[in-house]
Amino acid sequence: MTTATGYAEGVEEGKRKHILITFGRSFLTLNLARLLAAAGHRISVADSAPIAVSRFSKAVSAFHRVSPPKYRPQEYCREIAAIVEENDVDMVIPIHEETDILAMMAGLFPPSCDLFLSDFALEDTLHNKLRYQELLVELGIPALKFRAITGPEDIAALDFDTPFAVKQAYSRGSQHVYKAYPGDTLEQLTFDPTNPWIAQEWLDGDRYCTYSVCQDGVVYAHATYPVSYAIGGSSCLTFEQVDHPGVEAWVADLVARTGFTGHIGLDFIEHPERGLVTIEANPRATSGIMMFSAADRVDRAFFGENDGVIKPQPGRVRMIGIGMALYGWRKDSLPGNNFRRFFRDFRAADDVIAEKGDLGPAVMLIPAYTNILVHSMRYRVGLAGGFMHDHEWDGRQI
C-alpha cells in the first residue's frame, strides 16, 4: 500500500472523490490512477493478482486483492461492493471485461456509488462482435459485410468473394483472428453455443483507434490515434493523438443513439471509396487513456463536469516501453519496419510506465511480469493472454 503524496492538488474543495479502479495490473489503470490523483481525487485499486503495477504508484492510496472475476464472478462482485461500502467509495471505474460482470450484478452497489458503465444489455451488445454489427445494421449505419458461424453448415453457406476475417463474438486482441479466403473450409474452428464465430469482410485502408469517456449519451473526452507499432498488427504499442473530425463525429453519433455511459474504444478502417467503417467496439477502457496528461484534467469527464470535449495534446507520442522492447522491433509490428526506424521511434516516445517522481511501478515491472508469466503457465496461454485471462468474459451468464 502506498500513499498519494504529491497527488493532492487540482480538484476544488468539497469535490474530492474516492474512486475505485479495477484491474490494477493494467497500464491503463496505472495511467488513469495518476490522472485522477493528480486532480486531487483519492484512488484505490483492486485486482486478483497480488503484484499489480499500479499498487506501487504514489497515486494509489489503497490496494485490494479480490477474486478472479472470470472464475469466481459472484464472489468478485460482492467483494467489490463490500470495498465500496466499507471505504465510502464514490465511483467504481472498471477497466477490462469485468465491466460486463459488474453490470450483471449492479444491484449489489449502493445508490451513493456510481458504477461507470451502462446497463448489461447495452454493454453486452457492444462487447459481442456479432451483435455489434447487427446493431449497426439496425441503426442504419454502414457496416462491413458479416456472417454468423455457429456450426459447419454456416461455413458451407459463406458467400464472400474477397478475403475475410474470422473471430469469435467474444474475443480480444490476445486471441486468434484468422484471415480466410473464399472456399476455405475453416476446419480449425471449434464451436461453443455461447460464443459463436463471426466472418467479417477484410477491408484495407487507414486504421484508427479511439477512446472516449461518455455520460448518458454525451462524449466528454475523446482521443483518436492511428495504428502504428502493434503486436501482430493489432494491439497498439505507441499512441499519438490525431485530429479526425469524421471519426469524432461518428463516435458521438453512436454514443448518442445508444445513450451509452462509460468509456469505449472503437476500431476504424477508412477506405478511399467507402469512407469510415468500424471493425468492432470495446465498451471499456482502451489504450487511448494513456495519451492524456494531468494538464488535460480528464477527471472532469468521468463526472460530466466539462462543457467542451477534452482531448489529448496533439504531437505527444507515448509508448508501452516494455511492449515495444519485446515486440516493437519485429517485422510484423509495423509495415516496412527495420531496427533503425524502431530505435529512433523508441527514443522519441514517452513511456507510460516510468514517470518522474513515481518510479515504483517501473521498479516492480520484473516481479509483476514474472507473476503474469506464472499465471500464463498455469492457464496454458501466452504471455499476452495471461495478462488478462482471469478478467475476460465470454458471454456466460452468472
Side-chain angles (χ1 to χ4, degrees), residues 332-354:
D332 65 352
S333 71
L334 183 73
N337 196 22
N338 58 61
F339 190 77
R340 177 178 293 181
R341 179 176 181 179
F342 161 75
F343 187 68
R344 179 199 67 198
D345 293 342
F346 186 89
R347 293 187 62 187
D350 294 328
D351 185 26
V352 301
I353 305 163

Side-chain angles (χ1 to χ4, degrees), residues 25 48 66-73 76 79 375 379 390-391:
R25 77 193 71 171
S48 60
V66 292
S67 297
K70 178 175 181 176
Y71 300 107
R72 297 173 61 191
Y76 174 80
E79 289 162 6
H375 192 79
Y379 292 107
D390 63 349
H391 278 62

Side-chain angles (χ1 to χ4, degrees), residues 44-294:
S44 296
V45 298
D47 201 316
S48 60
I51 307 177
V53 289
S54 61
R55 178 178 187 173
F56 306 98
S57 170
K58 292 180 180 179
V60 174
S61 62
F63 172 81
H64 302 273
R65 191 175 181 191
V66 292
S67 297
K70 178 175 181 176
Y71 300 107
R72 297 173 61 191
Q74 293 190 26
E75 293 91 335
Y76 174 80
C77 291
R78 291 191 177 98
E79 289 162 6
I80 294 293
I83 294 168
V84 167
E85 290 272 14
E86 294 167 7
N87 297 275
D88 296 322
V89 172
D90 298 297
M91 175 178 280
V92 176
I93 303 179
I95 294 297
H96 195 44
E97 293 174 14
E98 68 276 6
T99 303
D100 300 82
I101 295 170
L102 288 167
M104 274 188 278
M105 299 188 70
L108 290 173
F109 292 83
S112 59
C113 176
D114 290 326
L115 287 180
F116 193 66
L117 46 74
S118 291
D119 63 80
F120 172 72
L122 180 54
E123 291 284 351
D124 184 44
T125 295
L126 295 170
H127 176 33
N128 184 306
K129 292 172 172 53
L130 178 59
R131 290 183 190 168
Y132 174 61
Q133 297 301 319
E134 293 171 343
L135 173 66
L136 296 181
V137 173
E138 292 171 9
L139 295 176
I141 298 174
L144 295 168
K145 178 180 177 180
F146 69 96
R147 297 289 183 269
I149 305 176
T150 59
E153 66 281 0
D154 292 326
I155 297 175
L158 291 176
D159 59 352
F160 289 89
D161 54 12
T162 58
F164 56 98
V166 178
K167 53 193 172 183
Q168 286 190 287
Y170 295 104
S171 59
R172 65 288 308 164
S174 64
Q175 296 180 339
H176 287 298
V177 176
Y178 301 104
K179 185 174 184 180
Y181 296 86
D184 283 359
T185 60
L186 302 176
E187 295 178 352
Q188 73 271 35
L189 302 188
T190 57
F191 299 99
D192 177 350
T194 66
N195 193 4
W197 295 84
I198 174 175
Q200 185 180 48
E201 175 187 6
W202 191 288
L203 190 67
D204 291 321
D206 295 331
R207 295 190 296 161
Y208 297 94
C209 298
T210 68
Y211 170 77
S212 304
V213 180
C214 315
Q215 289 273 8
D216 298 320
V218 178
V219 175
Y220 284 89
H222 176 83
T224 301
Y225 52 103
V227 176
S228 182
Y229 287 93
I231 301 174
S234 58
S235 298
C236 291
L237 296 169
T238 59
F239 318 95
E240 180 178 6
Q241 167 72 8
V242 296
D243 186 26
H244 197 308
V247 166
E248 189 173 342
W250 202 108
V251 173
D253 179 59
L254 178 69
V255 169
R257 293 212 221 179
T258 58
F260 182 76
T261 292
H263 33 200
I264 188 170
L266 300 175
D267 294 340
F268 283 93
I269 291 283
E270 186 168 33
H271 188 268
E273 298 175 359
R274 294 170 57 178
L276 286 169
V277 289
T278 59
I279 305 169
E280 60 192 42
N282 296 294
R284 53 188 178 274
T286 68
S287 299
I289 188 60
M290 298 189 288
M291 296 162 57
F292 291 90
S293 68

Side-chain angles (χ1 to χ4, degrees), residues 313-337:
Q313 298 172 7
R316 186 186 189 209
V317 183
R318 305 209 74 195
M319 69 172 177
I320 302 175
I322 190 169
M324 280 286 280
L326 290 172
Y327 300 99
W329 51 270
R330 302 182 183 186
K331 290 285 187 182
D332 65 352
S333 71
L334 183 73
N337 196 22

